[in-house]
Amino acid sequence: MYLPRMTVIVESRLDCVTLAGAVVRAFCIASGASEMESGQVEVCIMEAVNNCVVHAYHSEPCHAIEVVASLQEGEFRFEVCDQGKPGNPEMLRRSRRHLLDLDPTSLQATPESGRGLAIIESIMDGMEYVSTAGKNCFSMTKRITCKTHK
C-alpha cells in the first residue's frame, strides 16, 4: 500500500520559509485536504521553518532544513528538522494560546514575534520536539478528513 509522503529541503534563509510552506500546502491539497485546512498547515510549517532559521541557525544561511509531510489513516504528520542549536524541549510543556489574545484597542502594543508556537498549538492536534544525535525535529500532527480522489 502506498502512503503519501514528501520530503523537501530548504536553505536556512528567511526567503525560503514561504517556499517550504507552499510545497507542504500543495502536498495537503493533492492528498485531499481542503483549501482552508491546507492553508492552516502552511502557516504552521512556515512558523516552524522560521524558528529553525532564527533560533537554530541564528539567521545564518547555507544550512539545511528538512521538511517531511506524510499522511496515514486520516492523520497528517509533519516534521521540520535541523542540525542547528537545539531548542529547549520544555518549550512545549506550557500552553501559549493566551499569546493570541489581542487587545483591539491597542494593536500597536502587540509584539511582532513570539507567537509562532501559539499559532501552531491552536491549529495542530499534536506537537513534539526531540533533539538527538545532533538532529532537532519538531513534529506536528493534524487530523483532516480528506476528499476521496477518483
Side-chain angles (χ1 to χ4, degrees), residues 16-128:
C16 292
V17 169
T18 54
L19 173 63
V23 170
V24 171
R25 181 176 189 275
F27 172 84
C28 292
I29 290 170
S31 298
S34 72
E35 289 279 343
M36 184 182 79
E37 290 170 317
S38 299
Q40 291 174 332
V41 167
E42 178 181 21
V43 168
C44 293
I45 295 299
M46 289 172 59
E47 290 292 346
V49 172
N50 186 73
N51 284 346
C52 290
V53 172
V54 173
H55 300 294
Y57 293 125
H58 303 285
S59 300
E60 183 179 289
C62 301
H63 299 283
I65 299 171
E66 179 182 46
V67 181
V68 179
S70 60
L71 173 62
Q72 185 173 4
E73 297 174 10
E75 183 172 87
F76 281 91
R77 180 172 178 84
F78 308 98
E79 294 180 352
V80 178
C81 303
D82 65 72
Q83 293 182 329
K85 179 184 175 194
N88 182 353
E90 298 295 316
M91 68 182 165
L92 300 182
R93 297 217 192 278
R94 57 187 161 84
S95 176
R96 289 177 162 70
R97 288 186 187 216
H98 67 280
L99 297 173
L100 299 179
D101 296 334
L102 303 177
D103 180 359
T105 63
S106 180
L107 291 179
Q108 292 80 8
T110 304
E112 285 188 35
S113 63
R115 294 185 309 276
L117 285 177
I119 292 168
I120 294 169
E121 180 183 8
S122 71
I123 293 173
M124 291 294 182
D125 295 312
M127 305 182 301
E128 180 182 26

